[in-house]
Amino acid sequence: DGVQDEILTNLAKIADLKVISRTSVMQYKTGVQRNLREIGQQLGVAHLLEGSVQRAANRVRVNAQLINARTDAHLWAQTYDRDLADVFAIQSEIAKAIADQLQAKLSPNEKSAIEQPPTRDVTAFDLYSRARSLILSTSFSAIGGQNLRNAVDLLNQALARDPSFFLAQCQLAYAHDNLYFLGLDHTPARLAAAEAAVDAAFRLQPDAGEAHLARAELLYRGYLDYDGALAQLEIARKTLPNDPRVFELTGYIARRRGKQEEALRNLQRAVELDPRNFFTLQQISLSYLSLRRYGDQVIVLDRALAIKPDDVDTKITRALVDLDWKGNTRSLHQTIDEIRSKDPDAIKGVADTWLICALAERDAAAAEAALVALGDNIFGNDAVQLRRGFGEGLIGRMTKDEAKARAAFTQERAAHEKVVAQQPDYAPEICVLGLIDAALGRKEEALREGRRAVELLPLEKDSINGAHMIEYFAIYCCVGGRKGHCL
């Protein structure tokens, strides 16, 4: 996987080529029955590069061949049989050979970038490749945080072996960014770790597009500095012409600013470079959800499911459409039952949605089972993250067990109050504290916290989470008897 990824990364640096991203091409594994013409059509490409990697002790053999996707004709082939330490040189040679075969113009800077090995430590490269796979497989599911933390551990091991491993620093920054941004660890220490990784990347390769992309991610996810992030993306775009992440992040920034159509255009451009990327397709579906274009949302989710019918996250998202569109839980309920029956272990990854479904159906037994599956993971809306104890309080309230409800909410309040004391300007955490106070009947405190959350995170700053601040404030007003304020 690492060898394939590095060759692809090298080719993607050539502006004269259109190269499909890793997420899409890694789905075509050796041993799977493949039709090369069909693959070419699915990816929208004229040529395919395929091969194999074999390792025996300290020797490595790499076979590579370039194929015309339309005719199945073999245009070039080569076998490399060398010491394992030469694997990075092999990757560069293959990339340059492909560029030559396709008559792609190679600038001096592109040639230099391709010839530079990512690291000279094979073990560090293996750790990096494993971490990258974890990061790419991470979604906004209940277990997404676990993947990110495991990736951080692997990347730190890689960097301990080779502190000059530039791409590992960039991936480390990205993992830290997301743990902070998603509210999984929204602490100054996590943000400082992301900043340190970005700074280290710039010290290693200050002119590299990946460094500017890492800075853009940090500015967006860590500071909501959209103008600063866009400026960094413009620089990154010059040396990363085939990187879908540049268009993805541009789209996310537009969406946070409430520019949904602009966001869609950029996300669709990202999909052109990565047509089988489930995560990006899911993000496009979220944009359609924000626009209340439910029919279009169904189409893009069905496209994702046509690529991988058993992808649990996508199946759940598809089933959620009827709940969002028509307030109907039937499809979601059936999908959850199917997952529990066919793949019980997979339910852990969607236990948060199972809990939402059970609460919507006022099914206390199902809600209890969902909480067990959820474990120590979280549920909620985007950055508004709720913990198991809050779910227990909701179930107690639903079953009219007021003692259980108050005990659970009181315990949760103590935990969240400590977090707010440490992060007094983090609106989503203040919002959660307000929600708990509303549940406990602390009306004035809830209203005060709701106003504070809205002030800290207005729609103009974040159209997604800013809307949640208003949504929950409306709930506090209803609970507090201020129904006029709800309107």
Side-chain angles (χ1 to χ4, degrees):
D1 289 354
V3 170
Q4 177 178 350
D5 194 21
E6 185 60 20
I7 294 171
L8 187 150
T9 299
N10 284 334
L11 288 170
K13 293 175 181 176
I14 303 172
D16 211 27
L17 294 177
K18 175 192 174 184
V19 182
I20 300 302
S21 185
R22 176 191 198 273
T23 315
S24 291
V25 300
M26 288 298 282
Q27 296 170 36
Y28 303 101
K29 291 276 193 175
T30 301
V32 178
Q33 189 67 32
R34 295 175 298 170
N35 181 311
L36 295 182
R37 291 188 185 185
E38 187 176 306
I39 292 173
Q41 291 173 352
Q42 290 173 349
L43 297 177
V45 296
H47 300 87
L48 299 169
L49 174 65
E50 70 167 1
S52 62
V53 180
Q54 296 171 295
R55 176 181 175 179
N58 290 323
R59 300 291 294 179
V60 64
R61 172 174 290 178
V62 179
N63 295 302
Q65 52 188 348
L66 182 67
I67 302 165
N68 185 312
R70 297 187 179 96
T71 65
D72 286 346
H74 287 60
L75 307 178
W76 170 88
Q78 184 71 45
T79 297
Y80 303 83
D81 195 344
R82 299 186 190 171
D83 288 338
L84 182 61
D86 291 335
V87 68
F88 303 116
I90 294 172
Q91 293 165 174
S92 296
E93 289 176 28
I94 291 174
K96 287 188 288 186
I98 297 307
D100 183 60
Q101 288 294 320
L102 297 177
Q103 299 180 344
K105 296 176 182 178
L106 203 59
S107 72
N109 287 340
E110 289 170 346
K111 184 174 183 292
S112 175
I114 288 172
E115 291 174 346
Q116 183 172 351
T119 176
R120 297 192 183 280
D121 188 310
V122 174
T123 301
F125 185 70
D126 179 52
L127 291 164
Y128 162 80
S129 297
R130 294 175 187 274
R132 183 160 162 76
S133 294
L134 277 174
I135 290 171
L136 288 172
S137 66
T138 296
S139 66
F140 292 144
S141 69
I143 60 173
Q146 181 180 327
N147 283 348
L148 290 171
R149 290 187 176 90
N150 290 341
V152 166
D153 290 341
L154 290 168
L155 290 165
N156 280 328
Q157 292 177 51
L159 288 163
R161 296 185 63 91
D162 180 4
S164 65
F165 195 165
F166 168 72
L167 291 177
Q169 291 285 10
C170 293
Q171 287 294 305
L172 181 61
Y174 182 78
H176 285 311
D177 288 341
N178 277 280
L179 284 166
Y180 183 84
F181 179 69
L182 297 176
L184 300 169
D185 185 14
H186 192 89
T187 61
R190 184 65 69 179
L191 186 58
E195 186 81 57
V198 171
D199 289 345
F202 268 92
R203 285 194 297 271
L204 292 168
Q205 295 188 34
D207 299 324
E210 290 90 344
H212 289 282
L213 177 58
R215 175 68 73 189
E217 293 276 7
L218 175 64
L219 291 170
Y220 167 69
R221 300 181 192 280
Y223 299 100
L224 302 185
D225 180 356
Y226 303 141
D227 289 335
L230 288 173
Q232 291 294 315
L233 286 172
E234 279 304 307
I235 300 172
R237 199 187 307 269
K238 296 174 184 176
T239 54
L240 300 174
N242 287 289
D243 198 321
R245 294 174 298 174
V246 174
F247 296 98
E248 273 186 80
L249 188 52
T250 303
Y252 296 155
I253 292 170
R255 188 163 65 186
R256 293 282 165 179
R257 285 178 153 171
K259 301 176 180 178
Q260 295 291 350
E261 297 294 346
E262 180 183 335
L264 272 172
R265 287 194 297 272
N266 279 282
L267 291 173
Q268 286 163 347
R269 174 62 179 139
V271 166
E272 289 177 15
L273 294 169
D274 201 358
R276 297 173 73 83
N277 187 315
F278 302 115
F279 184 78
T280 308
L281 290 171
Q282 286 178 328
Q283 290 300 309
I284 290 174
S285 83
L286 289 177
S287 287
Y288 283 134
L289 173 62
S290 296
L291 291 166
R292 304 297 187 263
R293 290 169 57 178
Y294 299 107
D296 290 324
Q297 186 185 11
V298 167
I299 291 171
V300 75
L301 289 171
D302 284 346
R303 173 181 170 183
L305 288 171
I307 295 169
K308 191 175 180 181
D310 295 327
D311 186 77
V312 171
D313 285 337
T314 308
K315 288 174 70 173
I316 284 290
T317 305
R318 173 66 175 84
L320 269 168
V321 175
D322 278 351
L323 180 58
D324 293 325
W325 191 356
K326 303 170 184 176
N328 189 336
T329 62
R330 183 181 304 168
S331 177
L332 182 58
H333 189 124
Q334 290 175 345
T335 301
I336 290 169
D337 284 349
E338 178 186 331
I339 294 169
R340 292 174 63 201
S341 173
K342 293 183 177 179
D343 189 0
D345 288 339
I347 198 64
K348 297 176 183 177
V350 293
D352 51 345
T353 309
W354 182 17
L355 178 59
I356 297 300
C357 181
L359 292 172
E361 294 181 332
R362 305 295 191 270
D363 187 337
E368 292 279 9
L371 274 182
V372 172
L374 189 70
D376 294 329
N377 294 306
I378 53 178
F379 68 101
N381 301 94
D382 299 304
V384 181
Q385 302 292 352
L386 307 170
R387 304 189 311 176
R388 178 186 180 127
F390 189 84
E392 291 173 348
L394 290 178
I395 294 171
R397 186 65 49 81
M398 182 171 63
T399 57
K400 303 189 185 307
D401 187 341
E402 192 57 29
K404 175 182 178 180
R406 290 196 67 82
F409 287 136
T410 300
Q411 186 174 353
E412 280 298 290
R413 189 185 193 284
H416 284 279
E417 190 175 30
K418 291 179 182 178
V419 177
V420 170
Q422 296 168 350
Q423 304 173 42
D425 295 328
Y426 185 45
E429 192 64 40
I430 295 171
C431 175
V432 172
L433 184 61
L435 190 60
I436 295 170
D437 275 336
L440 287 169
R442 299 166 60 98
K443 300 177 183 179
E444 293 306 318
E445 291 92 336
L447 291 171
R448 182 171 62 250
E449 287 148 0
R451 293 189 188 97
R452 177 65 175 156
V454 171
E455 290 170 0
L456 286 170
L457 196 58
L459 281 172
E460 297 76 17
K461 195 171 185 179
D462 184 342
S463 70
I464 296 174
N465 287 310
H468 291 319
M469 300 304 101
I470 297 172
E471 171 190 354
Y472 283 106
F473 183 49
I475 293 173
Y476 311 157
C477 291
C478 288
V479 173
R482 306 286 184 85
K483 294 184 172 56
H485 287 71
C486 298
L487 303 177

